[in-house]
Amino acid sequence: MAKPRPRGYTYGLYGESASTNGRGVYGLATATSGSAIGVYGVTGSSSGYAGYFVGPVHVLGTLSKSAGSFKIDHPLDPANQYLSHSFVESPDMMNIYNGNATLDGDGEAWVELPAWFEALNRDFRYQLTTIGGWAPVYVARKISGNRFQIAGGDPGLEVSWQVTGIRQDAYANAHRIPVEEAKPVEEAGLYLHPVELGLDAELGLDYQRNLDPPE
């Protein structure tokens, strides 16, 4: 339950729960169509946050975003700099696995994958790179029984490998992310990022949403 702001605080809304399975803030949009939003946050500051979480965050559904990164204190200068890396994106619901393998006396190596690998993934792709020397290494046996075999190199040669797979778990199969989709009628002619496209900010989807704040 929301409570009045204590004097000196700057909370627009404060929610708190002491229950072991409580909800500090709960938003619910009951409409079964349209772009109803359970919780909507906006900030006017270029360095502010529309939402800020301290601790694990779980999304039960699909997370969409315009960009993504991790941001940490810079390992070489943590007191004065940040370090950010962008997420790796793909039009597929792709998983990436990699490692190094050392070829045995026959110039071969088996790469063992997790027991759940084939249950989770399909449509495998392989990449092999030798380390310390060249050799015509290749995938001798494709993934089967959650492992694959590398061959074609000299004994003791190290090979760096990467395998990708497309998710095929029950949730992914039921909720494939569409790569291209038409905008709903009410969003046609509006943009997620109009300014970056050289257009007026008033053509922004969120700008239009904020013209009529919820009652």
Side-chain angles (χ1 to χ4, degrees):
M1 178 182 294
K3 64 182 181 181
R5 292 180 294 171
R7 181 174 296 179
Y9 281 72
T10 56
Y11 301 119
L13 173 68
Y14 184 93
E16 180 178 331
S17 172
S19 171
T20 56
N21 64 346
R23 312 289 187 268
V25 175
Y26 187 92
L28 176 65
T30 58
T32 57
S33 62
S35 56
I37 299 172
V39 176
Y40 190 90
V42 180
T43 179
S45 171
S46 60
S47 59
Y49 299 90
Y52 193 99
F53 303 91
V54 179
V57 176
H58 178 71
V59 178
L60 186 62
T62 300
L63 173 67
S64 63
K65 54 186 176 53
S66 300
S69 70
F70 77 70
K71 181 178 180 180
I72 62 173
D73 295 318
H74 198 298
L76 300 182
D77 188 10
N80 300 298
Q81 297 186 62
Y82 292 115
L83 179 68
S84 298
H85 277 23
S86 294
F87 292 164
V88 176
E89 311 285 0
S90 167
D92 300 306
M93 298 174 76
M94 181 177 290
N95 294 315
I96 301 175
Y97 307 85
N98 55 62
N100 295 322
T102 301
L103 303 184
D104 61 19
D106 295 323
E108 301 174 345
W110 282 99
V111 175
E112 301 292 338
L113 300 165
W116 41 258
F117 186 86
E118 287 183 272
L120 177 62
N121 298 285
R122 59 174 172 78
D123 298 342
F124 308 120
R125 301 290 184 271
Y126 309 82
Q127 292 191 42
L128 303 175
T129 303
T130 56
I131 300 173
W134 181 86
V137 294
Y138 58 95
V139 175
R141 291 180 174 83
K142 296 192 293 185
I143 293 172
S144 178
N146 299 306
R147 66 177 189 162
F148 70 96
Q149 188 184 44
I150 301 170
D154 297 326
L157 183 66
E158 191 173 11
V159 179
S160 182
W161 60 268
Q162 177 177 289
V163 171
T164 63
I166 307 301
R167 282 181 57 184
Q168 64 169 359
D169 56 281
Y171 187 87
N173 287 338
H175 301 279
R176 287 291 163 196
I177 297 174
V179 178
E180 296 178 292
E181 57 183 320
K183 292 183 177 181
V185 174
E186 64 272 17
E187 296 179 10
L190 300 177
Y191 305 84
L192 294 174
H193 307 287
V195 175
E196 289 80 356
L197 293 170
L199 303 172
D200 292 336
E202 289 80 0
L203 293 174
L205 179 60
D206 286 316
Y207 182 95
Q208 295 296 321
R209 285 172 174 164
N210 286 324
L211 292 178
D212 298 308
E215 299 179 354

